[in-house]
Amino acid sequence: MSNVLVIVESDGSGPKAAALPGITAGQQLAAATGGQLHLLVLGASPDAAAQALASGGYGASAVHAIAGAELEPFTAEAWTDAVVAAVRELGVTAFGGTASSTLREVVPRAAAVLDAPIVTEITGVTGADAFTREISAGRAIATLKVSHAPFGFTARASDFAPAEPGSPATTVSALSAGSVSRRGATVVGVEKTQSARPALTEADVVVSGGRGMREGANFKVLEELTDLLGGALGASRAATDAGMVPADLQVGQTGKVVAPNLYFAVAISGAIQHLAGMKGSKTIVAINKDPEAPIFQVADYGLVAKWEDAVPQLVELVRAHKGG
Amino acid sequence: MKILVTVKRIPDPDESLKFAGNAIDTSSSKWVANAFDEYAVETALRMAEHIGNKDRLAEVIVCSVCPKDKRQHVTQFLAMGADRGVIVDADETAMDSQTVAKLVAEVFRREGCDLLVSGKLSQDSEGNEVAQRAAGLLDLPQASFAATLRWDRGANALTVGREVDDGVETKTIPLPAVVSVDLRIVLPHSVKNGATADDHKYSDGARLASLRGITMAKRKKVDVHTPAALGVTPSSHVAVAGVTAPEKRAAGQIVDSAQTLVNKLITEAKVL
């Protein structure tokens, strides 16, 4: 038996959209192992979501629901108890799901309790026990081989298409998790991100400035361009470390990973750790006075110029274009 | 109050990678401290210090699994202000994260610590596992990806703002506990310990070591253990079967003016 268990986060009535890539990874893994795909829903009243999953099929042989007041709102502590119980009860070979902030907390904790290995943020399934993932800020792709069952996995959402309903329906079975505890933790609530500008990770356009901007006041002209384009403002680590702009604007491996349609790198040399945060962007524009700057190697369009000259011109040209 | 902070050495992320056969060649790499661990130590120091007073509210111990003669990152964190160090003398590159987590958990137990603070991930392997695993092994509450932290000493609890996919979750956990930190924890007002004024503005980012700190670091105590002495048998249930370079991005073009750039973004890339 080499079945695969995917933990599916629900919105109360069905799977969260973010959970669907994890189901796809589970389907691929089950196909590779020759085992069945099982889905697991957790919550205070998970039945509606479990039923929706079972009706949709999603390539699964069975849907399991664990109900418990302690499981909602989410805590890694209580969810780990439930996941560990399910993995043991079902005797699955692999367990995991989408690399969401939820499962990135739960899967490693559950794996520790099960004394199991995990592969995190996988980008591909290449065998029953083999996976690819990026390491070292996307500069290398590692193939990992797992030699232990059970093992855990989390799948990077951008690398697996969302699973779709439409395969034969299956049934829901209730599982008991035994004792489930939050270990004294309480969740006060979630404050959803709010800003006049879109979130860095969700913006269609990102305009980032680097060390060459010299001081925070100089970011004003970048903000002008950002707002004209309805985008988000970013910065390189050199700029945030120098205190020009707040640290949460940092784009890079140590900051935010962004993949907008259009990315402007202004006065950014292009350190590896910055590239790791933006090289997935569709169109990259680099403006730098140094023609040798590494940023030009990843840019679709490069302009060798001082930002003091180029950016105000850009603002005027974009404004004219938008205006008419 | 004892705070244990995990710290890791990594090949300098600003050096270009060398591939040797099916692996990354680190034989000539410069090893540096993982950036998220700098944030973790900064977090612990902000918790421990009472700005404007001499008293310290906590002892900060940095813990690293590394060969004992490759401890420059540990010394660096002692210079930054940590009180002492614990090294588990082993080749961490040959261990899986469960082994590392077991070693950290055992040091935590033996030291009788109240809090484990880790960086959210290391910049080389990017596993994002050790803090959560240690919490599971120690059966303690956890708060991963912390952006803010408030220490309520009266209640012996932490209230942590966690970076989650759709915003910031506020979670309160009793001590002892495990926290992993994300980037925003080093903003000027992210950490409050109830003693230092709440409106105290720290400088943005992790602090640099002072000259005095660098001198002091050499005199600070560093205990060295072996995995065997900690009762942990190293395992490796995940093996790297191969490493390859990713596909290169297609070469772009250099344009001669802002006007040409905007024209091309409109007509060629169709993004404006």
Side-chain angles (χ1 to χ4, degrees), chain A residues 213-223 243-245 307:
Chain A
M213 298 304 295
R214 291 195 308 275
E215 56 182 298
N218 291 337
F219 271 71
K220 213 159 210 91
V221 67
L222 295 185
E223 289 183 48
M244 292 182 217
V245 287
W307 65 263

Short mmCIF file of all heavy atoms in Angstrom, two decimals, chain A residues 213-223 243-245 307:
data_model
loop_
_atom_site.label_atom_id
_atom_site.label_comp_id
_atom_site.label_asym_id
_atom_site.label_seq_id
_atom_site.Cartn_x
_atom_site.Cartn_y
_atom_site.Cartn_z
N MET A 213 19.82 54.76 -5.49
CA MET A 213 18.86 55.84 -5.22
C MET A 213 19.42 56.79 -4.14
O MET A 213 18.93 57.88 -3.95
CB MET A 213 17.52 55.28 -4.76
CG MET A 213 16.79 54.40 -5.77
SD MET A 213 16.51 55.18 -7.36
CE MET A 213 15.38 56.50 -6.91
N ARG A 214 20.40 56.33 -3.41
CA ARG A 214 21.17 57.08 -2.40
C ARG A 214 20.41 57.46 -1.14
O ARG A 214 20.93 57.32 -0.05
CB ARG A 214 21.80 58.34 -3.00
CG ARG A 214 22.92 58.05 -3.99
CD ARG A 214 23.72 59.29 -4.26
NE ARG A 214 22.87 60.40 -4.64
CZ ARG A 214 22.46 60.63 -5.89
NH1 ARG A 214 22.87 59.84 -6.86
NH2 ARG A 214 21.68 61.64 -6.16
N GLU A 215 19.19 57.98 -1.24
CA GLU A 215 18.45 58.29 -0.01
C GLU A 215 16.94 58.15 -0.20
O GLU A 215 16.44 58.19 -1.31
CB GLU A 215 18.80 59.67 0.52
CG GLU A 215 18.59 60.78 -0.47
CD GLU A 215 19.03 62.12 0.12
OE1 GLU A 215 18.43 62.52 1.13
OE2 GLU A 215 19.95 62.74 -0.41
N GLY A 216 16.26 57.99 0.92
CA GLY A 216 14.83 57.71 0.91
C GLY A 216 14.03 58.73 0.13
O GLY A 216 13.09 58.39 -0.60
N ALA A 217 14.38 60.02 0.26
CA ALA A 217 13.60 61.08 -0.40
C ALA A 217 13.58 60.87 -1.91
O ALA A 217 12.62 61.24 -2.59
CB ALA A 217 14.19 62.45 -0.06
N ASN A 218 14.64 60.24 -2.43
CA ASN A 218 14.72 60.04 -3.88
C ASN A 218 13.73 59.00 -4.39
O ASN A 218 13.51 58.88 -5.59
CB ASN A 218 16.14 59.64 -4.27
CG ASN A 218 17.11 60.78 -4.08
OD1 ASN A 218 16.71 61.95 -4.08
ND2 ASN A 218 18.38 60.46 -3.89
N PHE A 219 13.15 58.23 -3.46
CA PHE A 219 12.16 57.23 -3.88
C PHE A 219 10.86 57.88 -4.34
O PHE A 219 9.99 57.22 -4.90
CB PHE A 219 11.89 56.21 -2.76
CG PHE A 219 12.82 55.04 -2.78
CD1 PHE A 219 14.15 55.18 -2.43
CD2 PHE A 219 12.38 53.78 -3.18
CE1 PHE A 219 15.03 54.11 -2.46
CE2 PHE A 219 13.25 52.70 -3.22
CZ PHE A 219 14.57 52.86 -2.86
N LYS A 220 10.71 59.20 -4.06
CA LYS A 220 9.47 59.88 -4.43
C LYS A 220 9.17 59.73 -5.92
O LYS A 220 8.02 59.48 -6.30
CB LYS A 220 9.59 61.37 -4.05
CG LYS A 220 8.28 61.92 -3.65
CD LYS A 220 8.35 63.17 -2.81
CE LYS A 220 7.18 63.28 -1.87
NZ LYS A 220 7.39 62.68 -0.58
N VAL A 221 10.19 59.88 -6.72
CA VAL A 221 9.98 59.81 -8.16
C VAL A 221 9.59 58.37 -8.58
O VAL A 221 8.83 58.16 -9.52
CB VAL A 221 11.21 60.34 -8.93
CG1 VAL A 221 12.41 59.42 -8.74
CG2 VAL A 221 10.90 60.53 -10.41
N LEU A 222 10.10 57.37 -7.83
CA LEU A 222 9.70 55.98 -8.11
C LEU A 222 8.24 55.77 -7.70
O LEU A 222 7.50 55.05 -8.37
CB LEU A 222 10.60 55.00 -7.37
CG LEU A 222 12.08 54.97 -7.76
CD1 LEU A 222 12.79 53.85 -7.00
CD2 LEU A 222 12.24 54.76 -9.26
N GLU A 223 7.86 56.41 -6.59
CA GLU A 223 6.46 56.29 -6.15
C GLU A 223 5.52 56.87 -7.18
O GLU A 223 4.43 56.35 -7.42
CB GLU A 223 6.28 56.99 -4.80
CG GLU A 223 6.94 56.25 -3.66
CD GLU A 223 6.69 56.91 -2.31
OE1 GLU A 223 5.53 57.24 -2.01
OE2 GLU A 223 7.67 57.12 -1.57
N GLY A 243 18.39 51.84 5.13
CA GLY A 243 17.35 52.61 5.80
C GLY A 243 16.63 53.60 4.89
O GLY A 243 15.91 54.48 5.36
N MET A 244 16.82 53.48 3.57
CA MET A 244 16.15 54.42 2.65
C MET A 244 14.64 54.23 2.68
O MET A 244 13.89 55.19 2.62
CB MET A 244 16.64 54.18 1.22
CG MET A 244 18.08 54.55 0.97
SD MET A 244 18.45 54.26 -0.79
CE MET A 244 20.11 53.66 -0.66
N VAL A 245 14.22 52.99 2.75
CA VAL A 245 12.79 52.64 2.79
C VAL A 245 12.61 51.50 3.78
O VAL A 245 13.57 50.81 4.12
CB VAL A 245 12.27 52.22 1.39
CG1 VAL A 245 12.14 53.40 0.45
CG2 VAL A 245 13.17 51.16 0.77
N TRP A 307 19.25 57.34 -13.07
CA TRP A 307 17.82 57.38 -12.76
C TRP A 307 17.32 58.81 -12.70
O TRP A 307 16.15 59.09 -13.02
CB TRP A 307 17.52 56.63 -11.45
CG TRP A 307 18.13 57.25 -10.20
CD1 TRP A 307 19.29 56.86 -9.60
CD2 TRP A 307 17.61 58.33 -9.43
NE1 TRP A 307 19.53 57.65 -8.50
CE2 TRP A 307 18.52 58.56 -8.37
CE3 TRP A 307 16.47 59.14 -9.52
CZ2 TRP A 307 18.33 59.56 -7.42
CZ3 TRP A 307 16.28 60.14 -8.56
CH2 TRP A 307 17.20 60.34 -7.53
#
